[in-house]
């Protein structure tokens, strides 16, 4: 087995091509767009390079590629914990062979140690947590959402045999959007909707810039104190907006205001993997035509609960439930386009949010686990701290 650093276009193509070979017989797997994976590794398309660095490898046996992995450091988050600077590894794919997996993981460990890191999390993204984050440990029979990891069940053993331990997990809840809500969340929502200081409205594309800035304000107050989450910049938002704008449905993105100041948001988007599964990873001319055809036909019947945000001083007041109910009012009564809601990325450390989502309804159908490996094997392992 030979480990090769990806430097040439040919090696980059092999890096991309590997998952198409590994998963070609997996019914639930949806091939990611090639440009989305490759875009992670170029400064022109990934602004994390402004404050980070990255390397990737493929693993070959003879002439055949049998594994791949990337290692990276996001300096905005790596040094947040000065006690234990932590890098990342991700985009891991491998045949069911522990020796091969160990070679890939060793490469990441050694590179990160040389850079002054003392631990590595994986498999994660070289960028934000909203994509390519965590190892799929439950829900292998379900299709992945857009830019969300899908893995073979045996990967769990490869990681744990190496010595990785679960740092935290992201939970995915799925529910029928027309099912009734828990009475408690409905009552909280009614109370807030009667308070004249609070107002609720959905995003309007005609005033898109204003709503974008409101979301940034809430996000940077609500999320930056969470472990591993950095403040979001206008440049990062510009990239996200450019990706999302073609598929945004303004009626399922809601914001809350207190005395006209933004205090919370609830972002849903159409789950575009339900369209991208028809393009086979290629958004070329034919792929774009297929995308437009399915968008026009409204073949996608699933919406994705992407992210909540409530500023600290308004947390615990039922704002999350009020936003959900405002969205539900639109989806259940006036806009019956999406019968399925998938709420993705709820951290198992976020007890408050889990309670809210359970009141919303649905069941945990997928789990993505973020593993951590300590380079000092004698050091005690600590899981992500609970909040709420």
């Amino acid at each position: 087995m030979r480990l090769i650093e990806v430097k040439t276009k040919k090696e980059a193509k092999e890096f991309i091509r590997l998952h198409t070979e590994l998963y070609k017989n997996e019914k639930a797997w949806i091939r990611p767009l090639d440009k989305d994976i490759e875009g992670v590794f170029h400064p022109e398309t990934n602004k994390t390079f402004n404050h980070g660095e990255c390397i990737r490898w493929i693993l070959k046996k003879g002439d055949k590629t049998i594994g791949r992995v990337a290692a990276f450091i996001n300096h905005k988050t790596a040094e947040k914990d000065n006690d234990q600077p932590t890098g990342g590894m991700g985009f891991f794919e491998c045949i069911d062979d522990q020796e091969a997996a160990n070679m890939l993981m060793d490469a990441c460990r050694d590179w990160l140690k040389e850079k002054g890191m003392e631990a590595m999390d994986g498999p994660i993204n070289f960028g934000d947590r909203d994509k390519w984050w965590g190892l799929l440990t439950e829900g292998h029979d379900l299709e992945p959402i857009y830019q969300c990891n899908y893995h073979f069940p045996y990967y769990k053993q490869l990681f744990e045999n190496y010595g990785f331990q679960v740092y935290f997990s992201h939970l995915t809840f799925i529910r029928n959007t027309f099912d009734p809500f828990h009475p408690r969340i409905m009552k909280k929502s009614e109370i807030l909707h009667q308070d004249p200081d609070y107002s609720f409205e959905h995003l309007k594309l005609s005033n898109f810039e204003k709503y974008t800035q409101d979301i940034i304000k809430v996000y940077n107050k609500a999320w930056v104190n969470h472990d591993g989450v950095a403040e979001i910049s206008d440049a990062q938002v510009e990239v996200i907006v450019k990706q999302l704008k073609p598929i945004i449905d303004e009626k399922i993105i809601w914001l809350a205001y207190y005395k006209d100041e933004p205090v919370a948001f609830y972002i849903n988007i159409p789950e575009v993997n339900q369209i991208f599964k028809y393009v086979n990873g290629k958004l070329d001319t034919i792929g774009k035509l297929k995308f437009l055809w399915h968008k026009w036909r409204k073949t996608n019947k699933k919406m994705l609960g992407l992210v909540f945000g409530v500023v600290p001083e308004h947390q615990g007041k039922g704002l999350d439930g009020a936003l959900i109910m405002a969205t539900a009012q639109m989806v259940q009564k006036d806009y019956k386009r999406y019968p399925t809601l998938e709420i993705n990325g709820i951290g198992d450390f976020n007890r408050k949010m889990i309670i809210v989502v359970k009141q919303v309804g649905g069941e945990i159908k997928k789990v993505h686990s973020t593993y951590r490996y300590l380079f000092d094997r004698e050091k005690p392992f600590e899981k992500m701290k609970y909040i709420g």
Side-chain angles (χ1 to χ4, degrees):
M1 292 187 286
R2 295 176 293 120
L3 196 66
I4 300 170
E5 183 182 345
V6 174
K7 292 182 178 179
T8 67
K9 287 185 178 180
K10 181 176 183 292
E11 290 157 355
K13 283 183 179 179
E14 288 188 55
F15 187 92
I16 294 291
R17 192 185 301 123
L18 176 61
H19 61 201
T20 66
E21 291 297 316
L22 290 176
Y23 293 102
K24 60 185 177 184
N25 296 320
E26 290 295 305
K27 292 181 179 179
W29 183 65
I30 295 175
R31 180 178 174 177
L33 296 181
D34 293 354
K35 72 177 187 66
D36 286 345
I37 299 288
E38 189 58 28
V40 172
F41 302 103
H42 297 281
E44 301 88 343
T45 47
N46 185 356
K47 301 303 180 186
T48 310
F49 277 98
N50 292 338
H51 46 81
E53 49 192 312
C54 175
I55 188 172
R56 55 178 167 157
W57 299 272
I58 54 175
L59 183 66
K60 297 183 78 73
K61 188 172 185 179
D63 293 329
K64 187 175 182 181
T65 301
I66 61 169
R68 75 178 197 194
V69 77
F72 30 77
I73 302 171
N74 180 344
H75 291 293
K76 273 193 176 181
T77 57
E79 279 91 26
K80 261 194 168 184
D81 184 355
N82 292 326
D83 232 24
Q84 183 179 278
T86 302
M89 59 84 72
F91 301 91
F92 172 90
E93 300 290 356
C94 190
I95 62 171
D96 190 2
D97 183 297
Q98 190 67 54
E99 185 182 355
N102 289 353
M103 285 187 69
L104 293 165
M105 293 171 184
D106 282 348
C108 296
R109 178 200 63 196
D110 294 345
W111 185 81
L112 290 168
K113 283 177 76 173
E114 287 177 7
K115 301 288 182 179
M117 298 295 104
E118 297 178 14
M120 63 179 172
D121 289 346
I124 64 172
N125 181 36
F126 183 44
D128 296 324
R129 281 186 188 168
D130 62 342
K131 56 181 73 74
W132 315 125
W133 204 281
L135 184 77
L136 182 67
T137 49
E138 293 181 33
H140 300 90
D141 59 325
L142 299 172
E143 292 178 336
I145 63 168
Y146 179 55
Q147 294 189 337
C148 195
N149 286 334
Y150 182 90
H151 297 116
F152 288 111
Y154 69 78
Y155 281 20
K156 182 176 186 289
Q157 209 61 47
L158 295 180
F159 271 76
E160 293 180 1
N161 285 346
Y162 185 78
F164 277 96
Q165 294 173 270
V166 176
Y167 183 48
F168 67 86
S169 292
H170 279 134
L171 313 177
T172 297
F173 292 77
I174 300 177
R175 66 159 282 158
N176 184 319
T177 56
F178 303 122
D179 286 345
F181 288 88
H182 193 285
R184 186 177 176 186
I185 206 169
M186 295 175 71
K187 186 175 181 179
K188 282 184 179 180
S189 173
E190 286 172 12
I191 293 170
L192 280 181
H193 277 278
Q194 290 169 6
D195 187 333
D197 287 333
Y198 285 103
S199 59
F200 303 86
E201 55 188 89
H202 69 75
L203 179 145
K204 297 175 183 64
L205 290 171
S206 59
N207 202 2
F208 189 73
E209 292 299 324
K210 182 258 186 192
Y211 289 106
T212 301
Q213 289 303 313
D214 288 348
I215 289 170
I216 292 172
K217 285 180 188 176
V218 174
Y219 181 92
N220 284 337
K221 287 183 180 179
W223 282 99
V224 291
N225 290 326
H226 289 218
D227 187 12
V229 180
E231 186 171 293
I232 195 166
S233 67
D234 286 352
Q236 288 171 298
V237 171
E238 188 180 334
V239 173
I240 294 168
V241 166
K242 188 176 179 181
Q243 291 176 333
L244 292 182
K245 202 166 184 180
I247 57 123
I248 281 176
D249 185 335
E250 63 179 22
K251 294 180 181 178
I252 56 176
I253 297 177
W254 282 76
L255 295 93
Y257 296 85
Y258 182 76
K259 296 181 178 179
D260 296 326
E261 278 295 309
V263 293
F265 62 74
Y266 174 37
I267 298 176
N268 295 277
I269 59 171
E271 207 299 277
V272 290
N273 245 16
Q274 296 302 302
I275 296 177
F276 284 145
K277 64 183 177 182
Y278 298 106
V279 308
N280 192 31
K282 304 289 185 183
L283 207 55
D284 50 14
T285 301
I286 293 174
K288 287 177 181 176
L289 288 172
K290 287 181 179 179
F291 178 86
L292 292 171
W293 167 257
H294 286 280
K295 184 181 177 182
W296 175 69
R297 291 293 304 273
K298 297 181 179 178
T299 55
N300 171 31
K301 302 299 181 185
K302 182 193 292 187
M303 71 178 192
L304 175 66
L306 196 62
V307 64
F308 269 101
V310 181
V311 300
E313 55 267 36
H314 288 269
Q315 290 175 5
K317 297 183 179 182
L319 265 179
D320 35 27
L323 280 170
I324 289 167
M325 292 308 300
T327 310
Q329 179 75 15
M330 177 71 75
V331 172
Q332 290 183 338
K333 295 183 179 179
D334 305 322
Y335 193 57
K336 300 181 179 180
R337 180 178 167 185
Y338 305 103
T340 302
L341 168 65
E342 189 163 321
I343 301 177
N344 181 56
I346 307 299
D348 63 354
F349 52 85
N350 193 341
R351 290 169 172 169
K352 285 182 181 178
M353 200 67 245
I354 289 173
I355 290 170
V356 171
V357 176
K358 283 184 175 178
Q359 289 174 359
V360 170
E363 300 177 9
I364 298 172
K365 294 291 188 178
K366 299 179 195 170
V367 176
H368 285 84
S369 298
T370 299
Y371 283 84
R372 175 164 286 184
Y373 180 87
L374 306 182
F375 300 158
D376 180 354
R377 303 309 294 156
E378 302 301 316
K379 187 174 182 178
F381 178 84
E382 295 182 9
K383 293 191 70 172
M384 168 82 86
K385 293 177 182 177
Y386 287 101
I387 59 175

